[in-house]
Amino acid sequence: MPFQFMQEIMQGYYDFFRLLIPEPQNRIPITPSVVPYTLSWFIPFFFLAYLARRPETHLIRLLLLPTVIATTLASAFRYCWTIPALNVYNWGQGLAAEVVIAKALEYALTPEGMLRIGESQPNQPKGKAKAESNGDASIIDEDDRTPLAKSNFSSLIAAFGDALNLAHEMRGAGWKFGVGTHIPKLIRPLERDQFLKVTLWSFIKYFLLLDLLESIIKLFPGVGTPAGGSMFYQNLPILHRYIVSTTIHILTGSALLSGFHMVYDLMAFIAVYSCNDLPSSWPPVMDNPWTADSMHVFWAKRWHQLLKRTFVVYGGIPGYWIAGNTGALLGTFIASGLYHEFAIYAMGRGFDPVVPAFFALQGPVLLLERVWRVGTGRRVGGWVGRIWVYSIMFCLAQPMIDSWHKRGLGGGMVIPPFISPAKFVLPLLVRAFNATVLAK
């Protein structure tokens, strides 16, 4: 009887899991009628962010957490894009869901709530005098009341904006959770109109560059199709095979960089133009990753830091509990690998350990750099360090990129054809080139 009871319990857990994350063939196609369900996660998540900025809400945040996790998983994994070229959007949904869940975990499990730098509790600056109320709210000074306690429209708008800022803040600028995160120096004009002009031109530049790179990738057989294919063409001699795979690898990495810049520029333009954000609140998303001369510099400064806190929540904090700073380092990169791979499950192409293995390897790589520094008294750097970085990112990272391409990354529609100059021009150039070659 106990064994049968446990079986029933486990079956119940499995059925609930499959309710949220069905088998790929059982997912619900995304149509206009189900779009509201795919966005349903935002309501409980935003309320959780709001509570994280209110004092003495720890218990209710803990009670709300399961609802946020369940609705987020269901929104991302229960519904899917069924057009093959849009399958990559399913991966995007999974990535976004994992970020939301990481944020929700931190909001709910941090007893004091989410604090800005200089706060002792939400909306309460450090060192501010506190009234001895003895439970009588009527004797609290008006200046000490939180926005929640002020019954006027402006305070409600302020609380709404505060929660919205927290929910969308990725690098933690001005927040305690962002302390220690590298944010690149401002390089664009801080005058509003000039900032908008520069950002718009930057968006156009990266849009055209991404369009060109994506269109070139789609010219490669297999790799450029929604069904996917390996970038290691077995019919080629080994030298030619790796020249081609390295070319695809560089094109893919450059496309990812261009995509980050393009999307970030678009968001910055909208935020400053429509929401009156300060230009200073939009520093560069990257810090010249091509110039990194050590893997530590690459991951900690040069590469974008938008997902740093996500990886720390999933792996860095548990790793620290287990093995201190070394455990935090290893756990952060293990979490990074699992983050990328679990999300791609939404594409219905299975699980490939190659991707988590590459990211998990970065922890030992950084430990080796630490050993080098202790042994030599110098950090990894200079031209030797740059060769070291390029060797890892251009050689060891190729199986990871190949894993993505075998599952259809290169065949996904990023820039729609009707707004793509490159998808119109490139086929004409290829046909003209082929005709010239055949004529000879």
Side-chain angles (χ1 to χ4, degrees):
M1 181 64 70
F3 179 73
Q4 183 180 1
F5 177 73
M6 288 302 300
Q7 278 189 316
E8 292 176 356
I9 292 293
M10 295 305 297
Q11 185 63 43
Y13 278 122
Y14 178 80
D15 291 343
F16 179 69
F17 173 78
R18 283 304 177 193
L19 176 67
L20 302 178
I21 307 178
E23 296 282 0
Q25 66 273 15
N26 297 327
R27 299 178 71 192
I28 300 172
I30 292 179
T31 60
S33 63
V34 304
V35 167
Y37 298 105
T38 68
L39 303 176
S40 62
W41 59 270
F42 185 76
I43 297 174
F45 172 69
F46 183 76
F47 184 46
L48 181 60
Y50 170 81
L51 292 174
R53 293 294 295 155
R54 306 297 89 171
E56 300 179 4
T57 59
H58 188 211
L59 179 58
I60 192 172
R61 283 185 274 125
L62 290 174
L63 294 173
L64 183 60
L65 178 62
T67 300
V68 177
I69 294 176
T71 54
T72 303
L73 287 174
S75 298
F77 291 95
R78 185 173 172 79
Y79 306 95
C80 68
W81 301 88
T82 55
I83 298 174
L86 302 184
N87 194 18
V88 71
Y89 292 2
N90 293 319
W91 187 20
Q93 286 182 179
L95 293 172
E98 290 177 335
V99 171
V100 169
I101 292 172
K103 285 177 172 288
L105 287 170
E106 185 164 29
Y107 297 171
L109 299 178
T110 305
E112 65 274 16
M114 304 303 294
L115 305 181
R116 294 181 183 273
I117 294 174
E119 289 183 338
S120 58
Q121 58 178 313
N123 298 297
Q124 179 67 64
K126 288 181 179 178
K128 192 170 184 180
K130 299 177 182 178
E132 295 294 330
S133 63
N134 294 321
D136 184 2
S138 62
I139 66 171
I140 299 178
D141 185 78
E142 177 67 20
D143 290 338
D144 282 332
R145 294 182 184 269
T146 66
L148 185 63
K150 298 177 182 179
S151 58
N152 57 64
F153 183 73
S154 61
S155 66
L156 181 63
I157 294 299
F160 179 87
D162 200 27
L164 199 64
N165 180 279
L166 173 62
H168 290 88
E169 179 57 53
M170 298 297 292
R171 289 183 284 193
W175 296 85
K176 281 191 175 181
F177 74 85
V179 172
T181 298
H182 173 73
I183 297 179
K185 293 181 180 178
L186 296 167
I187 58 175
R188 293 181 180 175
L190 297 183
E191 196 276 324
R192 183 175 182 272
D193 290 342
Q194 287 297 316
F195 177 88
L196 291 172
K197 180 180 178 181
V198 171
T199 302
L200 178 60
W201 281 112
S202 178
F203 167 76
I204 294 172
K205 177 183 72 174
Y206 283 113
F207 171 86
L208 295 173
L209 181 58
L210 174 61
D211 181 39
L212 176 63
L213 294 169
E214 180 205 356
S215 300
I216 293 174
I217 291 172
K218 283 180 168 52
L219 296 176
F220 289 91
V223 169
T225 65
S230 176
M231 66 185 193
F232 298 110
Y233 294 103
Q234 299 300 315
N235 59 319
L236 295 178
I238 189 166
L239 178 60
H240 295 171
R241 183 188 311 162
Y242 285 100
I243 289 175
V244 171
S245 70
T246 302
T247 300
I248 297 174
H249 181 77
I250 293 173
L251 289 170
T252 304
S254 300
L256 290 172
L257 282 170
S258 300
F260 276 117
H261 283 291
M262 182 193 75
V263 173
Y264 189 80
D265 284 340
L266 179 61
M267 294 175 64
F269 185 88
I270 293 173
V272 174
Y273 182 80
S274 301
C275 304
N276 291 321
D277 266 18
L278 295 175
S280 59
S281 63
W282 289 90
V285 66
M286 298 275 188
D287 197 358
N288 300 313
W290 297 103
T291 65
D293 57 2
S294 74
M295 291 306 297
H296 170 78
V297 169
F298 180 84
W299 290 121
K301 293 184 177 181
R302 301 303 184 187
W303 193 247
H304 76 84
Q305 303 297 299
L306 301 177
L307 298 174
K308 174 184 174 181
R309 195 61 190 175
T310 299
F311 304 149
V312 168
V313 169
Y314 282 136
I317 295 174
Y320 181 81
W321 292 340
I322 296 171
N325 290 333
T326 300
L329 173 67
L330 298 175
T332 297
F333 282 106
I334 291 172
S336 175
L338 294 176
Y339 166 84
H340 288 87
E341 189 58 26
F342 282 160
I344 210 169
Y345 176 81
M347 293 180 68
R349 301 293 175 82
F351 185 92
D352 189 347
V354 168
V355 175
F358 169 76
F359 285 103
L361 182 64
Q362 302 311 300
V365 165
L366 265 60
L367 290 177
L368 283 176
E369 290 191 353
R370 186 181 300 174
V371 170
W372 170 269
R373 185 169 185 172
V374 171
T376 65
R378 304 188 307 274
R379 74 171 187 86
V380 176
W383 64 268
V384 174
R386 190 156 300 172
I387 292 175
W388 164 250
V389 172
Y390 280 39
S391 297
I392 292 174
M393 300 309 296
F394 287 169
C395 298
L396 291 183
Q398 284 201 29
M400 175 188 67
I401 299 297
D402 182 59
S403 173
W404 287 345
H405 280 311
K406 285 192 292 187
R407 290 178 283 180
L409 173 67
M413 185 183 73
V414 179
I415 305 296
F418 66 90
I419 59 171
S420 167
K423 291 183 181 65
F424 174 76
V425 174
L426 269 181
L428 298 177
L429 295 177
V430 170
R431 282 197 292 269
F433 176 79
N434 290 338
T436 303
V437 171
L438 292 174
K440 294 181 179 180

